Amino acid sequence: MNKYLKGCLLILGILILAASTVAGFFYYQMSTSRERSEADHLECASIQYIMNDTKIEISDSLMAKDSGNIKLYLTKDSVKIDSAEISNQHKDRIEFTLPFEKAPISSTILIKTAGHEFLIENMKYFNNEKWGLFGYLEKDCQFSYDYKKLK
């Protein structure tokens, strides 16, 4: 066999091996996407405490406008766990970072302004999953809550 033919076959074999490796990687990523997504969903849903960099915002109510000082009460089963007083830096909404060190996700937060009260409840984390052309990309645990006006 001549040297030119051997060289071409060797290069062709290397190219086929490289293409098979890349195709195998993408196939593995696509075939395990659902399992990784479900595992990340369970991980986000099992968070027991609110992370301390969590922002809470109440913006779609006229009652939230011009709220200067805000009193926050962390309660669980109608028992006050912790309280804090913060200053609202926004004129058109109530927005703050949670000041409590270790707040259970099953608790509620009572917000008292000068003339109104809001209750934050049903707090949870969910996986805001990212999908791409080749399947599941990454997890993104997002904080979700409901609020209602009490007074």
Side-chain angles (χ1 to χ4, degrees), residues 63-118:
M63 307 300 170
K65 294 188 183 292
D66 297 323
S67 303
N69 288 335
I70 301 170
K71 293 181 183 176
L72 303 173
Y73 299 98
L74 181 67
T75 60
K76 185 169 180 168
D77 300 327
S78 300
V79 175
K80 184 175 101 172
I81 299 173
D82 201 357
S83 65
E85 187 169 339
I86 59 172
S87 176
N88 187 22
Q89 303 298 325
H90 304 280
K91 296 289 183 197
D92 59 339
R93 66 188 181 276
I94 295 174
E95 181 178 326
F96 59 90
T97 303
L98 207 60
F100 306 118
E101 282 293 319
K102 199 169 185 181
I105 202 144
S106 59
S107 61
T108 58
I109 300 172
L110 178 65
I111 302 172
K112 287 187 178 183
T113 63
H116 306 288
E117 293 180 1
F118 299 93

Side-chain angles (χ1 to χ4, degrees), residues 39-47 51 53-54 124-130 136 138-144:
D40 288 345
H41 175 71
L42 289 174
E43 183 181 337
C44 288
S46 68
I47 295 175
M51 296 174 198
D53 61 344
T54 301
K124 62 183 173 187
Y125 283 96
F126 66 94
N127 185 14
N128 188 16
E129 51 200 10
K130 307 291 186 216
Y136 181 69
E138 64 180 338
K139 76 173 177 180
D140 183 20
C141 289
Q142 294 288 321
F143 183 67
S144 171

Side-chain angles (χ1 to χ4, degrees), residues 18-28:
S20 297
T21 303
V22 170
F25 174 75
F26 285 123
Y27 176 76
Y28 175 76

